[in-house]
Amino acid sequence: MRKLWVSVQPGKDIKADTIFHYHQELPKYMRGYHRCTVEDAVNLAGLIYKIQYNNERSQLANINKILRDFVPEYLLRMSAQEEWKKVEPSDLPGVDSVVDRLQQIWAYVVDNLVLSQEEAQRFANCRRCVGSRLRNIIASYNKHEKKTVEEAKIAFLRHISRWPTFGSAFFEVKQSSDPSLPDIVLIAINKHGVSLFHPKTKELLVNHPLNKISRWNSGNTYFQMTTGNLVRDNKILCETSLGYKMDDLLTSYISYFLTMQQKTANP
């Protein structure tokens, strides 16, 4: 397990990428810690499918399982049906037969159930949504089908490495120091500093660079950090049982960069 992500370049160390980095970063993505677009999610879903099933296409028919296994749950909840339709592939080998089968199932359900007008409309909307999402994900899989599993893992890492939260350690905490922020925030600690995100929208609320953090400490139930200087400072108090991990990680990052500065100053 990598602790400090300061100079990781996907593709540079293939063994580390395929054995450690991918499996360390995938759960963070699936838990919805990163902020990404529908287009990002579609591309990554194709890569994850390739990695898990390689050349086996049969699982593509199980759309509900596919979406939950390959797309972060928060994105499914927040993304409207129309957003998934923005990515419209064409000439998808093998897609139409799968989609047609799903449409037949939907038609059978509608024809054999007594539905109200509202329920029928809901079924119709779901039917269109299923076809659109399935086509998008299969289009992505088709694009990556010729890759090896190892190449797909590296492609996944290269994609998410463009995000500022790549390599972060994430902590969901309850903060009580800033009334303008939500009670529950998502904290990311990485080489860029300590960032606070909205837990649902993943919107960046505030970022504290490492060189602006002056003091920090932790206990069994809290983590506390101070930014600024003696004249004007800002305290952040969080309720969490993982304060010791946050403390240790922040100490390690700051110690690393202080050591690098000393080496640069005294070659």
Side-chain angles (χ1 to χ4, degrees):
M1 297 286 286
R2 177 175 288 274
K3 182 178 182 180
L4 301 183
W5 295 69
V6 293
S7 58
V8 177
Q9 298 178 13
K12 187 176 181 180
D13 187 339
I14 295 176
K15 286 188 177 180
D17 287 339
T18 56
I19 298 174
F20 300 110
H21 297 161
Y22 172 78
H23 298 283
Q24 192 171 346
E25 289 302 290
L26 177 63
K28 301 176 190 177
Y29 169 71
M30 291 305 301
R31 289 180 188 130
Y33 290 153
H34 299 284
R35 187 176 188 179
C36 65
T37 65
V38 171
E39 287 77 9
D40 286 326
V42 166
N43 183 56
L44 293 173
L47 286 169
I48 296 170
Y49 184 96
K50 171 65 182 181
I51 292 163
Q52 292 192 16
Y53 294 102
N54 200 1
N55 297 323
E56 176 56 58
R57 303 178 65 95
S58 62
Q59 294 298 322
L60 289 170
N62 191 346
I63 188 65
N64 288 327
K65 184 178 180 180
I66 286 173
L67 290 178
R68 291 172 182 172
D69 288 354
F70 307 141
V71 179
E73 185 68 28
Y74 93 94
L75 195 60
L76 292 177
R77 292 196 303 267
M78 293 183 62
S79 300
Q81 174 186 337
E82 294 304 318
E83 285 194 67
W84 285 89
K85 287 184 176 180
K86 287 179 182 177
V87 186
E88 286 298 341
S90 59
D91 300 327
L92 305 181
V95 177
D96 290 338
S97 60
V98 175
V99 175
D100 287 346
R101 179 55 181 159
L102 285 170
Q103 302 290 23
Q104 290 172 10
I105 294 172
W106 281 108
Y108 176 84
V109 170
V110 173
D111 291 343
N112 288 273
L113 291 177
V114 179
L115 303 175
S116 66
Q117 184 176 359
E118 180 181 354
E119 289 171 332
Q121 184 61 49
R122 190 180 301 119
F123 266 86
N125 289 340
C126 289
R127 182 178 176 181
R128 288 193 296 269
C129 188
V130 164
S132 177
R133 290 180 177 181
L134 180 58
R135 282 188 169 89
N136 291 339
I137 292 176
I138 295 180
S140 174
Y141 171 73
N142 287 341
K143 184 173 66 174
H144 301 299
E145 189 173 12
K146 292 183 179 180
K147 288 183 172 71
T148 65
V149 170
E150 289 72 21
E151 289 170 343
K153 287 181 178 180
I154 294 171
F156 175 90
L157 290 171
R158 281 177 172 158
H159 189 114
I160 68 172
S161 69
R162 297 178 294 185
W163 301 340
T165 46
F166 173 65
S168 298
F170 295 92
F171 305 88
E172 292 186 9
V173 304
K174 182 177 181 180
Q175 69 87 25
S176 57
S177 51
D178 190 339
S180 67
L181 298 177
D183 291 339
I184 305 298
V185 295
L186 179 65
I187 290 183
I189 299 178
N190 58 33
K191 64 182 180 180
H192 302 296
V194 178
S195 302
L196 278 65
F197 295 88
H198 193 287
K200 293 183 178 180
T201 65
K202 316 306 173 187
E203 175 189 1
L204 175 62
L205 302 173
V206 61
N207 172 256
H208 300 287
L210 294 176
N211 61 0
K212 300 296 182 181
I213 300 172
S214 54
R215 298 185 300 278
W216 62 95
N217 60 76
S218 65
N220 292 333
T221 60
Y222 74 92
F223 172 78
Q224 183 173 268
M225 185 179 78
T226 303
T227 62
N229 50 49
L230 294 175
V231 178
R232 184 177 182 179
D233 61 17
N234 177 42
K235 292 184 178 180
I236 301 171
L237 178 62
C238 303
E239 181 180 327
T240 174
S241 61
L242 298 176
Y244 70 98
K245 285 190 174 182
M246 300 172 70
D247 189 330
D248 176 67
L249 188 58
L250 184 56
T251 299
S252 298
Y253 268 114
I254 290 180
S255 296
Y256 172 85
F257 284 110
L258 286 176
T259 300
M260 294 302 294
Q261 287 180 0
Q262 292 174 358
K263 288 182 177 179
T264 302
N266 303 290

